[in-house]
C-alpha cells in the first residue's frame, strides 16, 4: 500500500488513512488555533542557534503578544513562502490576523515587511503562478 508523508507530523501514513489523519491535525483547538501547522520536515528546517531571530510578536490592534513556535520559525526561515496566507494567529483576538498588523517585539519590524524581505532574498523558492492563484482563492473564502 502506498504511503503519504504527513505535512504536519511528517510520519508516513497509509494513503487510505490519510484524510482522517489530516482531519485530526486540522481540528481547531478550544482557543481557535489549529492543532498544528504545516512545517518542513525536521531534517529540512534551519538548524542551530536562533540568536537574533525575533520570536515574539505584538498584535498592534489588541496589544497582545504571541510567541512564534520554534518549528515554525525554523521552517519559514528556510522557506519564506511556506505560509502564503500572510496571516498569523493572535492569542489576544483568538483568530488569525494580517501580518501587517503585527510587529516583532525584538526588532519593531512588522511581520509582513520581515517576510517580504526574507522572500526577496530567496526568489528561487517562489511558488509557481498556479499556487499563488490557489492561495488567493483560499483567502477570498476566509
Ligand atoms: Zn500527521
Ligand atoms: Zn489581536
Amino acid at each position: 500500500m502506498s504511503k503519504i508523508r504527513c505535512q504536519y507530523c511528517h510520519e508516513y501514513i497509509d494513503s487510505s488513512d490519510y484524510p482522517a489523519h489530516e482531519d485530526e491535525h486540522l481540528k481547531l483547538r478550544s482557543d481557535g488555533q489549529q492543532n498544528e501547522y504545516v512545517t518542513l520536515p525536521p531534517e529540512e528546517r534551519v538548524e542551530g542557534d536562533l540568536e537574533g531571530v525575533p520570536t515574539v510578536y505584538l498584535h498592534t490592534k489588541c496589544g497582545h503578544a504571541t510567541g512564534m513556535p520554534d518549528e515554525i520559525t525554523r521552517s519559514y526561515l528556510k522557506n519564506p513562502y511556506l505560509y502564503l496566507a500572510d496571516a498569523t494567529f493572535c492569542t489576544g483576538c483568538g483568530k488569525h490576523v494580517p501580518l501587517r498588523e503585527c510587529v516583532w517585539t525584538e526588532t519593531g519590524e512588522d511581520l509582513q515587511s520581515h517576510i517580504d524581505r526574507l522572500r526577496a532574498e530567496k526568489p528561487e523558492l517562489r511558488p509557481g503562478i498556479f499556487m499563488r492563484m490557489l492561495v488567493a482563492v483560499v483567502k477570498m473564502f476566509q
Side-chain angles (χ1 to χ4, degrees):
M1 178 172 280
S2 68
K3 291 192 184 283
I4 296 175
R5 191 169 193 191
C6 176
Q7 56 187 342
Y8 298 93
C9 65
H10 310 294
E11 302 280 330
Y12 291 90
I13 312 293
D14 286 337
S15 53
S16 59
D17 295 337
Y18 190 74
H21 178 91
E22 191 173 43
D23 273 357
E24 280 302 308
H25 286 300
L26 293 175
K27 273 190 186 148
L28 291 182
R29 294 200 315 226
S30 53
D31 62 4
Q33 194 158 10
Q34 266 180 23
N35 260 349
E36 286 171 70
Y37 289 87
V38 171
T39 54
L40 292 177
E43 70 274 15
E44 289 178 28
R45 295 175 197 162
V46 167
E47 289 175 25
D49 205 355
L50 287 180
E51 182 143 10
V53 177
T55 55
V56 179
Y57 54 90
L58 190 78
H59 183 211
T60 53
K61 291 233 164 131
C62 75
H64 265 85
T66 304
M68 184 72 81
D70 195 66
E71 66 273 20
I72 292 185
T73 302
R74 291 177 187 279
S75 294
Y76 82 71
L77 286 177
K78 188 65 173 281
N79 182 353
Y81 297 97
L82 196 59
Y83 305 107
L84 281 174
D86 289 340
T88 191
F89 192 80
C90 171
T91 51
C93 298
K95 63 179 177 130
H96 288 87
V97 298
L99 292 182
R100 194 59 81 189
E101 293 178 2
C102 299
V103 293
W104 292 115
T105 58
E106 292 93 335
T107 62
E109 186 175 29
D110 76 86
L111 273 58
Q112 187 69 57
S113 302
H114 182 221
I115 199 78
D116 285 349
R117 199 156 45 75
L118 293 175
R119 286 173 185 167
E121 287 167 9
K122 298 194 174 186
E124 72 280 6
L125 294 176
R126 174 179 282 277
I129 181 73
F130 175 73
M131 260 306 291
R132 273 178 280 140
M133 281 170 58
L134 195 67
V135 168
V137 169
V138 168
K139 281 176 82 168
M140 268 168 45
F141 287 100
Q142 274 177 352

